[in-house]
Amino acid sequence: MVNFRPDVFLVDHMPTGAMGELVPALEAARSRPVRVVLGLRDILDAPETVRRRWRLEGAFETIERHYDDVLVYGSREVYDVAAEYDWPAATAQRVRYCGYVCATESSEDHAEVRERYLDGAPTDSSLVVAMAGGGADAYPLFDALLRSLPKLLVDRPCVVVLVTGPFLPEEERCRLAARARDLPVHILPAVGDSLSYIGAADLVIAMAGYNTTVEILSQNKPALLVPRSGPSAEQQLRARLFAERGWVHWLPPDELAGEALGAAAARILAGESPTADYPPDLRGREVAAQRLLAGLHQVKPRSEARVVAPVPASVGDPQLLVDG
């Protein structure tokens, strides 16, 4: 903080840092001309878990003392962060909802991806893309998909591209490869441009992490989300809430042991589609950037009496320090 002398200090996810290590930097910022902003995904965990953790960590007091703005990368209509996590009134007034933060456009043409994997397949074949972020806990999802595939192929020809993620254990990857033998399945550890694969798919089957889910929404593709079972409730909350709004289909993780995954995939490939209440707000990148720039005119030396100034519409040329 002292050496960088930023105009804006953007903190990601944890107001005090993972173990409170950010507090000295926040204290240093109080006497310097820097605007301090907290950026949050909308869903962090079950409300009672976040409330308890933040009270123990002193997160609410830290936000009240040190932060000028709180940018939520989500929609208040889907998840009201201040209400769900029981924020004090003073800190709740600093919350600004930006919409969901999406990646940029894909660098590879969707048609090229489809041609690569559907070449030689029956002309009416569907492309199913399965992915699970880093993949450390993705084996149950991938295993259930491969177990269901022979039955699915009886009714509908398809090709599966399974992106395991770089952290799937090697032993589990080998078991998946053995199960996929003689099936129309391509197993990849990772892809350089996930948006191109999502955009090429007729169905995306995925876990419900923030980035993967928002990428799927940005491509407007049929999706079946199977959130992780724990330890955090974040993914199950996101999958259920998004499904309630008609943006995706979802399957509780405890249903993977049966035939529910294959049956759900077959219905979606046959044309079953939820009715969306309204489209997702995907302007998060632009709105968050505008908000950060607009706050520059309020950058000024701090004082112990904390007064948060309103953000004007004008912008500047900032130096931005990001902690995350």
Side-chain angles (χ1 to χ4, degrees), residues 7 29-35 68 295-303 305-310:
D7 298 291
R30 292 186 59 81
S31 61
R32 300 177 185 278
V34 54
R35 194 165 186 87
D68 298 292
L296 289 175
H297 283 219
Q298 296 302 320
V299 172
K300 58 186 179 182
R302 320 292 261 198
S303 67
R306 186 140 187 90
V307 178
V308 179

Side-chain angles (χ1 to χ4, degrees), residues 126 128 130 140-158 160 203-206 224-226 249-272:
S126 299
V128 177
L141 170 61
F142 295 145
D143 181 61
L145 174 59
L146 294 183
R147 281 190 286 105
S148 68
L149 187 55
K151 185 176 181 179
L152 182 61
L153 289 170
V154 172
D155 298 322
R156 189 174 196 89
C158 59
V160 174
L203 169 63
V204 182
I205 299 176
L224 176 60
L225 299 184
V226 184
H249 300 263
W250 86 293
L251 187 70
D254 57 6
E255 295 186 24
L256 280 178
E259 298 182 356
L261 178 65
R267 291 194 301 270
I268 299 170
L269 288 171
E272 181 181 293

Side-chain angles (χ1 to χ4, degrees), residues 170-208:
E170 179 63 18
E171 179 183 350
E172 294 179 346
R173 190 198 65 78
C174 290
R175 291 208 297 268
L176 292 174
R179 187 181 290 279
R181 192 173 295 123
D182 300 323
L183 292 172
V185 175
H186 302 265
I187 298 180
L188 309 175
V191 294
D193 182 5
S194 57
L195 280 180
S196 65
Y197 280 75
I198 293 170
D202 296 293
L203 169 63
V204 182
I205 299 176
M207 298 178 77

Side-chain angles (χ1 to χ4, degrees), residues 34-49:
V34 54
R35 194 165 186 87
V36 182
V37 181
L38 176 64
L40 296 174
R41 295 189 307 254
D42 53 349
I43 302 171
L44 305 176
D45 204 334
E48 60 274 13
T49 300

